[in-house]
Amino acid sequence: MKKLCIFDLDGTLTNTITAIAHFGNTALASQGFAPIETEKYKKLVGDGRTVLIHRMLAYYDADTPEMFDKVCAEYDRCYEADPMYKTGPYDGIPELLNELKALGVKIAVCSNKPHNVVCSVVKTVFGDMFDIVKGIADGDKTKPDPGCALKIMANEGCGRGECVFIGDTNVDIFTAKAAGIESIGVLWGFRDRRELEGAGAEHIAERPDEILRIVKEGEQ
């Protein structure tokens, strides 16, 4: 059985696409841009807030340094003021986490969102359930850089064969590969099976309870 599960946040633990689209479109509107459809945000997200803003502006062929600074500042201001806007866990996730904890498996969050927002969301939605919660702070590199995952593994004293990374995008699968650990791609998030399998996910889960089976069957 695996000893450590490292989870992505958006699209894996929490359904946040409506919130991301809301704050993204609010920031765009502050500079006179029309909203981008919520469904399109599923392809814009995944590589962190900075890349998201660049992609939003590129959608309007307006990705200049000056415009980026204005939209990014408004996005951060709005999101940090109301980080729980239309945000909650996917069905089956709380039950999965409780089962993992009951088995003695350590659980962690590794997200490309700003660290303060990640901590606020995780604390509000899941309380103190997670052993480690990490977002992006000054000096951190975003996934797929494996730095965050490797720090979590080192903190918990877990080897590569004892860990699994769980996420909904190719960024998460690439992160797992860079860290040298197994990956589980989930299908209830923002991307599809083709992307996850194309990125090289060792496992695909259609429902949260399938993760439990994969973890139990993992290497000792």
Side-chain angles (χ1 to χ4, degrees), residues 56-70:
M56 286 161 46
L57 290 171
Y59 184 83
Y60 289 107
D61 195 24
D63 189 11
T64 66
E66 180 182 9
M67 189 59 68
F68 173 85
D69 288 344
K70 290 178 179 178

Side-chain angles (χ1 to χ4, degrees), residues 1 3 5 11 24 28 39 45 71 76 113 116 124 139 146 148-149 160 165 174 176-177 184 191 193:
M1 185 168 68
K3 295 182 179 180
C5 290
L28 287 171
E39 194 66 18
V45 301
V71 171
D76 286 350
K113 295 172 87 78
N116 61 325
T124 302
C148 171
R160 287 177 169 82
F165 200 105
F174 294 149
K177 289 189 174 301
I184 303 174
R191 306 289 174 80
R193 180 185 290 272

Side-chain angles (χ1 to χ4, degrees), residues 14 83-85 87-89 117-128:
T14 54
M84 291 309 302
Y85 177 84
T87 291
V117 174
V118 174
C119 290
S120 178
V121 170
V122 172
K123 176 73 172 179
T124 302
V125 177
F126 301 109
D128 296 320

Side-chain angles (χ1 to χ4, degrees), residues 10-182:
D10 295 338
T12 302
L13 295 171
T14 54
N15 188 352
T16 54
I17 197 63
T18 299
I20 292 169
H22 168 72
F23 293 120
N25 286 335
T26 298
L28 287 171
S30 72
Q31 301 303 314
F33 295 104
I36 298 173
E37 295 175 20
T38 298
E39 194 66 18
K40 286 186 168 66
Y41 274 91
K42 290 183 177 181
K43 291 293 186 181
L44 299 178
V45 301
D47 293 279
R49 179 261 281 145
T50 298
V51 176
L52 169 63
I53 303 300
H54 281 304
R55 288 173 178 166
M56 286 161 46
L57 290 171
Y59 184 83
Y60 289 107
D61 195 24
D63 189 11
T64 66
E66 180 182 9
M67 189 59 68
F68 173 85
D69 288 344
K70 290 178 179 178
V71 171
C72 190
E74 182 65 8
Y75 181 85
D76 286 350
R77 185 190 68 79
C78 293
Y79 215 138
E80 290 174 8
D82 190 12
M84 291 309 302
Y85 177 84
K86 293 190 176 180
T87 291
Y90 284 101
D91 290 344
I93 288 296
E95 293 81 0
L96 166 66
L97 299 178
N98 281 321
E99 290 275 8
L100 291 172
K101 295 292 284 186
L103 290 171
V105 177
K106 298 289 187 177
I107 55 176
V109 173
C110 179
S111 173
N112 275 345
K113 295 172 87 78
H115 183 69
N116 61 325
V117 174
V118 174
C119 290
S120 178
V121 170
V122 172
K123 176 73 172 179
T124 302
V125 177
F126 301 109
D128 296 320
M129 184 172 289
F130 281 90
D131 297 287
I132 303 177
V133 177
K134 285 191 65 63
I136 299 301
D138 291 343
D140 291 334
K141 293 182 179 179
T142 57
K143 298 178 293 182
D145 185 274
C148 171
L150 292 173
K151 287 178 182 177
I152 291 170
M153 292 163 59
N155 189 82
E156 295 302 322
C158 291
R160 287 177 169 82
E162 300 172 315
C163 307
V164 64
F165 200 105
I166 302 156
D168 68 307
T169 75
N170 58 4
V171 172
D172 300 306
I173 307 307
F174 294 149
T175 302
K177 289 189 174 301
I181 61 178
E182 281 187 56

